Amino acid sequence: MEPRLSNGGSLVDNGTRTGMSTEQKTKTVTLFNGDIKHVLEDGKVVYYYAGSQITQTTYPSGLVVLHFPNKQIEKRHPGGKREILFPDQTIKYLEPDGSERTIFPDGTIVHLSPSGKKTVDFPNGQREIHTSQYKRREDPDGTVKTIYCNGRQETKYASGRVRVKEKNRVTM
């Protein structure tokens, strides 16, 4: 038999306490390790992990939001998509297919595809593309410089001029 507390809750032998709010809308469970679980009337569950100081809120829709002590926030959507907001305001989106998109505070956006292709869009209009075969930089003026894994470099200028540089020689 569990002893009843004045708030209508109970105390279990291992130190776990349960209780209801005075308006009977929130159930609270306090565990022996310091963790606290609140079950709200709307179905939302807020769980505080005392050891790591992480708060996890689970919504009836299946959305899970984690608040970390360093102010990082992570959202885990039911379909597998994840959003991470870092303390410096960087945002990272992780898709179920393995692709990623990171938006930095300066406006730089990095896309990473499941195949490993990385595209970096800079605020000044420049774009970099990295693959296992080459690295390419595209400038807003139309200049494109490509460096291949064998060391060959090609620069295509907006004027139509092409410069090719092999390891030890330059060809125009």
Side-chain angles (χ1 to χ4, degrees), residues 14-18 29-37 47-48 50:
N14 66 5
T16 299
R17 289 180 300 168
T18 63
V29 178
T30 305
L31 301 162
F32 67 94
N33 63 358
D35 289 3
I36 301 170
K37 178 181 179 179
Y47 195 102
Y48 174 74

Side-chain angles (χ1 to χ4, degrees), residues 48-65:
Y48 174 74
Y49 295 91
S52 57
Q53 299 179 343
I54 296 171
T55 301
Q56 174 180 311
T57 305
T58 305
Y59 293 85
S61 66
L63 174 68
V64 175
V65 180

Side-chain angles (χ1 to χ4, degrees), residues 7-98:
N7 68 357
S10 61
L11 178 63
V12 181
D13 287 339
N14 66 5
T16 299
R17 289 180 300 168
T18 63
M20 289 294 283
S21 64
T22 53
E23 61 280 342
Q24 301 291 311
K25 294 184 179 185
T26 303
K27 178 181 179 182
T28 301
V29 178
T30 305
L31 301 162
F32 67 94
N33 63 358
D35 289 3
I36 301 170
K37 178 181 179 179
H38 298 284
V39 181
L40 307 177
E41 182 182 38
D42 63 2
K44 184 168 48 173
V45 177
V46 180
Y47 195 102
Y48 174 74
Y49 295 91
S52 57
Q53 299 179 343
I54 296 171
T55 301
Q56 174 180 311
T57 305
T58 305
Y59 293 85
S61 66
L63 174 68
V64 175
V65 180
L66 298 157
H67 291 265
F68 295 88
N70 68 351
K71 306 295 185 214
Q72 178 178 313
I73 299 170
E74 183 173 331
K75 294 179 182 179
R76 298 177 182 172
H77 296 271
K81 180 179 177 178
R82 291 172 43 200
E83 294 175 55
I84 303 170
L85 176 61
F86 294 95
D88 70 353
Q89 300 306 303
T90 297
I91 304 169
K92 180 177 270 196
Y93 298 96
L94 304 163
E95 300 293 337
D97 67 0

